[in-house]
Amino acid sequence: MSTDVVLLQDLTGSYRNDLPNLKKQIPIAVNRLTNPYLEEIFGPDIQFGISTFKDKPVSPFGAPSDYVYQSELAFTSDIGTVKNEVDSFSASNGADGPEAQLEALAHTAFDSDGGLNYRSGSTRIAVISTDASYHVAGDYATAPANDLDSNIEDEDYPTIAGLKSVLETEDMIPVFLVTDGVEGTYEDLVDQLGRGYVTSLNPDSSNVSDAIKYAVAKSNLGAALEEGTTSSDEINGDGSDDIIFGLDGEDQIFGYGGDDFLDGGFDLDYLYGGSGSDTVSGGDGADYVEGNNGPDTLIGGSGNDTLLAGVGNDVLQGDDGDDILDGGLDPTFSDSDTYVFDTGAEYGILELGVDQITFFKPNDKIQLSQDTFTAVDPTNFFASASTVSDAETVDETIVNVGGDLYYNENGVDPGFGSGGQFASVSFSFLPLTSSSFDIVDTD
């Protein structure tokens, strides 16, 4: 089943200081949620649409240029397209404290201006990011009552009961990402709606990527998901197949037995999968991620992370930041570890960093996604060079300079184009060749 996620963003003036973090974090969230290794947690075939809201364009609620709902981007899985849209955001106006969240949510469910284009039969999730409370029916009593249809018109705000009916009819799950000052307000709203979730944003929205990940996972998994708090937690799995999100704080999470999924969330975390086939994701912050025995998938997330896989055929993906990737050293050399380099977008749109692969064994592979390394031709892509200057002018697109790996996006032209160094292999048991790589098309 496909999943359509609408990012419904408050663009009133009070959100202005949060926008720099929002612009950085939302594309990262899209990358995480569309990672094929995490499909079981976030759902298959996820696409993202974007809508925004402010408030009524009449005094005392808002300025004449304000609006209660506006779609900005139809559903897509292209991270570059999402990033370009979010980069265009600016926040202004909204004359009073509360805003038009309820009315915007109703129009999101209806796709009132036709700009989202929901897929038939999709799971529908609206992720509302705001730092303000909401207007309700009666606040604009001089206008006609809100008839809760798809027309965007001059009328009062909707009733909560009416919005509840709309969300049930359109089968939409609301998730409210809100700052601490209004968290209780939205928890009460979720109780009245009979559906949805609330998660806390930092005052500057610096944790919005991890909050969106948690929100979508919670919508997909419900009670099967265990979560920490916004403080520093120690969470222990029970030996079964645990799904644990640490959320904020410097957490220590231990999966122990079972095939676990562990996510550290925001801040510096220590994550230990234990025995079994585990998927362990650091989230934001400089995390220490350990898989231990078994075939594990380790994902660093944002920050300079350390990934230690242990014995087994493991997948290690550092993502953003300068990460240390250690697949473990099996004395029989029978392990086959895969080091993944894939941002879900063209190289340079999202930060990749320079990852250090500590031991590259004979059966290991470096996996390059053609979504990111777009200039790579699988039939002829690898070369070695003596110096970085030489690497800049060879025809091949992946160049090894003494263990340092460069993406030479523009071939023989000077420089690396949009590319650059993306990895360093500290020690390889055999010389690196084209057979050390897997070139994959993830479309």
Side-chain angles (χ1 to χ4, degrees), residues 378-397:
T379 64
N380 181 31
F381 67 91
F382 181 79
S384 291
S386 300
T387 66
V388 174
S389 296
D390 291 341
E392 293 177 350
T393 56
V394 301
D395 189 46
E396 290 79 5
T397 49

Side-chain angles (χ1 to χ4, degrees), residues 28-275:
I28 292 173
V30 174
N31 176 33
R32 305 287 189 271
L33 293 171
T34 54
N35 188 317
Y37 293 107
L38 303 179
E39 181 176 299
E40 182 179 349
I41 302 301
F42 300 120
D45 190 17
I46 299 182
Q47 292 194 354
F48 299 85
I50 297 176
S51 296
T52 61
F53 66 91
K54 295 188 179 184
D55 208 342
K56 301 281 188 184
V58 295
S59 180
F61 309 111
S65 60
D66 284 356
Y67 53 89
V68 296
Y69 173 78
Q70 187 170 286
S71 64
E72 309 289 354
L73 181 67
F75 288 107
T76 180
S77 58
D78 186 272
I79 295 174
T81 301
V82 172
K83 185 177 187 299
N84 288 339
E85 182 58 46
V86 174
D87 281 348
S88 71
F89 281 176
S90 61
S92 62
N93 301 333
D96 60 351
E99 312 298 355
Q101 290 89 338
L102 302 191
E103 191 159 356
L105 183 53
H107 288 302
T108 299
F110 286 130
D111 189 13
S112 290
D113 61 8
L116 293 173
N117 194 21
Y118 291 106
R119 291 172 291 178
S120 177
S122 64
T123 297
R124 300 177 182 182
I125 303 170
V127 179
I128 304 99
S129 178
T130 184
D131 61 353
S133 61
Y134 51 85
H135 279 296
V136 294
D139 286 356
Y140 188 20
T142 57
N146 193 302
D147 54 12
L148 282 162
D149 61 14
S150 60
N151 295 319
I152 302 173
E153 52 198 344
D154 186 25
E155 57 189 355
D156 195 6
Y157 298 93
T159 63
I160 293 175
L163 176 61
K164 180 178 187 292
S165 177
V166 168
L167 296 179
E168 290 172 351
T169 300
E170 302 300 325
D171 198 18
M172 170 157 280
I173 303 169
V175 182
F176 299 94
L177 311 185
V178 298
T179 51
D180 286 342
V182 293
E183 193 169 357
T185 299
Y186 284 93
E187 288 172 347
D188 180 64
L189 174 61
V190 164
D191 288 342
Q192 294 182 70
L193 293 175
R195 60 173 52 209
Y197 304 98
V198 178
T199 190
S200 178
L201 283 179
N202 290 343
D204 60 356
S205 295
S206 56
N207 66 334
V208 70
S209 173
D210 288 302
I212 291 172
K213 283 194 309 175
Y214 165 76
V216 174
K218 187 73 172 177
S219 299
N220 185 42
L221 299 171
L225 185 153
E226 179 181 356
E227 63 241 38
T229 68
T230 56
S231 300
S232 298
D233 304 302
E234 180 176 328
I235 307 174
N236 297 309
D238 60 9
S240 62
D241 298 343
D242 302 301
I243 301 172
I244 303 174
F245 277 71
L247 303 182
D248 287 4
E250 297 184 3
D251 304 311
Q252 298 181 65
I253 306 177
F254 303 88
Y256 296 122
D259 299 338
D260 306 310
F261 175 84
L262 312 178
D263 185 283
F266 192 73
D267 287 324
L268 185 155
D269 305 300
Y270 176 85
L271 308 167
Y272 176 84
S275 61

Side-chain angles (χ1 to χ4, degrees), residues 272-276 278 280 288-298 306-317 324-329 335-339 358 361:
Y272 176 84
S275 61
D278 305 308
V280 188
Y288 185 91
V289 179
E290 185 172 353
N292 205 271
N293 295 336
D296 303 311
T297 298
L298 309 182
T306 298
L307 278 57
L308 178 60
V311 177
N313 299 330
D314 305 302
V315 174
L316 297 89
Q317 182 172 353
I324 297 173
L325 311 180
D326 188 334
L329 189 57
D335 279 3
S336 176
D337 298 320
T338 302
Y339 299 92
T358 56
K361 302 182 295 295

